[in-house]
């Protein structure tokens, strides 16, 4: 329903709501408070010692404004509270003066100083609080006061005649929720805290039910999807594996086998490969690509950044060097001419494997026979994949890879629509990375270590978080370089890498480091994933408190890539308990469980890029048991086709069928 149906709403407010992605009455009423303020009228005498109290009072004298200095004023007036006169002061609310007429009832929230008989209010409401009131507090929408929003939402609720039935009736009965209508009123305008909680519970169940429904429904269609059955040339694949300078781990072998089986089946492959950094996912993807090429299919390998795409290009070319597979790189910063050449080759099927960033998909790129897409470190529901597929006719097999170590149980539920493979063991010979949390004042220790490693002929990464404006606390990469130059008397060659550099500059810096011309590489987290310099044995991370554990674990995965013992120093003065987890463990899955405990799901899915993973009211960590509970209900709902009786799910199904 259109927002304009709400009583008393103006065009300007509608615009404001649009800006916050609220386009309908239904969306507005689903804009839930994120917390509540409980207002309880108290008696002044009782509360002398308390930090903040709420009192009822009545204005009983004239009010006076003083302008103390620019942007700072005070408003003073006399009040009567149950027969006692007190002086009230409130800062920066000069504009309220006209409302403070004698006899006006007010509710004051603030502090009382009995000696001065002065009440310093930090909030004032122009009502008499008869009883306890629970105020909903909403996330701030620019240009809308909390109280205005509260009223708007109540008015919006009055307009809704039929509430969508999201939970199946049976489920609703089973948990004896409040009715949907009552739940809406209770969540926005609670009569009791307990009832509000009950209302909230209903919405959590609804949100998770709908989420699971989507995942499971997707799974169903994917199961029915017809793909191409490919032949696996085991002989040639075995030959490729034999040509590698190392033998595969059991997990790698197992996952390759799972992938090859997928290719053989006449069903479309839809697999997520989860494996810690350095667990060797690239080789798995490469073997599967090779299997496709042996079937005369083309493959696309998508990486999240140019640096990574370039790295993958070289390492994949190296893995396949004894085959006649044609590999090309296509990244945004190539010249138009260079791109055209590559694109032409792709179109003529003179390229078997194309490696690039997602940007390549926006170009007018045509494959002749695209049969396999690998996506590294990227969210699974990328719109681009679909764009890419549109001009291709065939249904390519898909492999998604991620080093975000999602706890296995969560992964199985959240990615329930995909097959999942895990690589748990590291290549043999790899030692755990010795990790140490250091205070800023103990930096010397890290500098000593740096020197020690460099003397052994090794190399060192130094990582500083990306600089945000006004963030003077953070270590700037250039400042760090100066610091290191001073410490080592400028005798150690140091490279600096940050996101704002040009492609060519970045490449030069990376190359110098790879070739060992520079011994230390100071960079922002642009190098976060994938970079592979085997000679690096020490990483120093500044402002480590800025990162989630999973991210730090990924970062330190840049070292420990050879048989030497490697080290990671985390420099920070805060949150040491959290970071200690990294001292104790090198197991990505364990660390992600811990990260989950500390920070909730927020960090798990990287930046909030993952639109379909953000919940309005549910919280994966807190509500995980509900998710499991509901899974059975959802499967039953789908199995029995009961969902067809619910208009709400008809709409969802249409959408999924359309976009998929
Ligand atoms: P990630 O899973 O992080 O993408 P990579 O595929 O980049 O890991 O592999 C990390 C490094 O380990 C690479 O240098 C790769 O050559 C090497 N590697 C992969 N598998 C093995 C193995 N079975 N034994 C030894 N080294 C391996
Ligand atoms: Mg990788």
């Amino acid at each position: 329903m259109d927002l304009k149906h709400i009583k008393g709403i103006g065009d300007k407010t509608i615009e404001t709501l649009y800006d916050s992605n609220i386009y309908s009455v239904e969306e507005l009423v689903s804009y839930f408070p994120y917390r509540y303020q409980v207002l309880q009228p108290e008696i002044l005498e009782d509360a002398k010692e308390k930090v903040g109290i709420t009192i009822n009072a009545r204005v009983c004298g004239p009010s006076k404004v003083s302008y103390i200095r620019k942007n700072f004023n005070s408003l003073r007036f006399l009040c009567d509270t149950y027969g006692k006169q007190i002086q009230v002061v409130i800062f920066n609310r000069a504009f309220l003066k006209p409302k403070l007429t004698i006899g006006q009832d007010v509710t004051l929230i603030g502090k009382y100083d009995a000696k001065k008989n002065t009440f310093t209010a930090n909030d004032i409401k122009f009502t008499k609080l008869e009883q306890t009131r629970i105020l909903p507090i909403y996330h701030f929408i620019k240009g809308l006061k909390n109280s205005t929003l509260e009223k708007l939402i109540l008015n919006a609720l009055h307009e809704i005649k039929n509430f969508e039935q999201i939970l199946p009736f049976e489920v609703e009965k089973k948990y004896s929720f409040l009715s949907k209508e009552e739940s809406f009123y209770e969540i926005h305008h609670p009569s009791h805290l307990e009832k509000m909680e009950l209302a909230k519970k209903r919405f959590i169940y609804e949100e998770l039910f709908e989420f699971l429904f989507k995942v499971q429904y997707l799974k169903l269609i994917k199961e029915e999807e017809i793909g191409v059955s490919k032949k696996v040339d085991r002989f040639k694949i075995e030959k490729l594996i034999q040509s590698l300078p190392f033998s595969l781990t059991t997990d790698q072998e197992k996952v390759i086998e799972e992938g090859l089986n997928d290719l053989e089946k006449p069903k479309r492959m839809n697999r997520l490969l989860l494996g810690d950094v350095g667990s060797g996912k690239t080789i798995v993807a490469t073997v599967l690509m090779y299997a496709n090429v042996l079937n005369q299919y083309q493959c696309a390998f998508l990486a999240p950044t140019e640096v990574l795409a370039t790295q993958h290009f070289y390492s994949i070319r190296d893995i396949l060097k004894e085959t006649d597979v044609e590999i090309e790189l296509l990244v945004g910063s190539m010249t138009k001419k260079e791109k055209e050449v590559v694109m032409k080759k792709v179109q003529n099927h003179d390229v078997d494997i194309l490696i690039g960033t997602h940007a390549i998909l926006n170009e007018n790129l045509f494959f002749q026979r695209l049969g396999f897409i690998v996506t590294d470190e990227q969210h699974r529901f990328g719109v681009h994949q679909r764009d890419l597929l549109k001009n291709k006719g065939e249904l390519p097999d898909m492999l998604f890879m991620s080093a975000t170590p999602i706890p296995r149980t969560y992964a199985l539920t959240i990615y329930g629509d995909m097959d999942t493979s895990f690589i748990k063991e590291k290549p043999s010979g790899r030692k755990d990375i010795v990790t140490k949390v250091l205070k800023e004042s103990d930096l010397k220790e890290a500098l000593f270590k740096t020197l020690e490693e460099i003397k052994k002929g090794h190399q060192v990464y130094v990582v500083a978080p990306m600089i945000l404006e006004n963030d003077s606390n953070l270590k700037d990469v250039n400042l760090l370089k100066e610091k290191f130059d001073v410490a080592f008397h400028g005798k150690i060659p140091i490279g600096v890498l940050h996101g704002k550099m040009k492609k060519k500059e970045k490449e030069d810096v990376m190359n110098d480091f790879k070739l060992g011309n520079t011994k230390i590489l100071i960079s922002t987290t642009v190098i976060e994933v994938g970079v592979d310099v085997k000679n690096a044995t020490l990483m120093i991370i500044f402002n480590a408190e800025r990162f989630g554990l999973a991210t730090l674990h990924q970062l330190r995965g840049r070292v420990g890539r050879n048989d030497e013992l490697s080290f990671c120093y985390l420099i920070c003065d805060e949150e040491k308990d959290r970071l200690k987890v990294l001292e104790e463990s090198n197991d990505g899955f364990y660390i992600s469980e811990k990260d989950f405990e500390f920070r909730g799901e927020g960090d798990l899915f990287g930046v909030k890029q993952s639109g379909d993973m953000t919940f309005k009211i549910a919280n994966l960590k807190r509500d995980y048991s509900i998710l499991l509970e509901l899974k059975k209900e959802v499967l039953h709902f789908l199995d029995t086709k009961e969902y067809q009786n619910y208009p709400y799910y008809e709409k969802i199904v249409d959408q999924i069928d359309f976009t998929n």
Side-chain angles (χ1 to χ4, degrees), residues 246-249 252 277-282 427 430 532 534 561:
F246 45 74
S247 48
L248 295 180
T249 63
Q252 281 172 320
V277 259
S279 60
K281 295 184 292 296
T282 315
R430 290 288 161 75
D532 196 21
K534 291 195 172 61
R561 300 206 152 208

Side-chain angles (χ1 to χ4, degrees), residues 409-428:
T409 39
Y410 295 98
L412 292 178
T413 313
I414 299 166
Y415 294 105
D417 57 319
M418 288 194 238
D419 296 312
T420 7
S421 295
F422 292 84
I423 303 188
K424 289 208 143 173
E425 87 197 288
K426 287 196 188 124
S428 64

Side-chain angles (χ1 to χ4, degrees), residues 276-278 280-282 301 308 312 376-377 401 403 529-531 558 561:
D276 220 342
V277 259
K281 295 184 292 296
T282 315
F301 187 112
L308 269 179
H312 279 308
D376 193 21
E377 306 292 355
M401 304 200 293
V529 263
V531 175
R558 303 299 117 226
R561 300 206 152 208

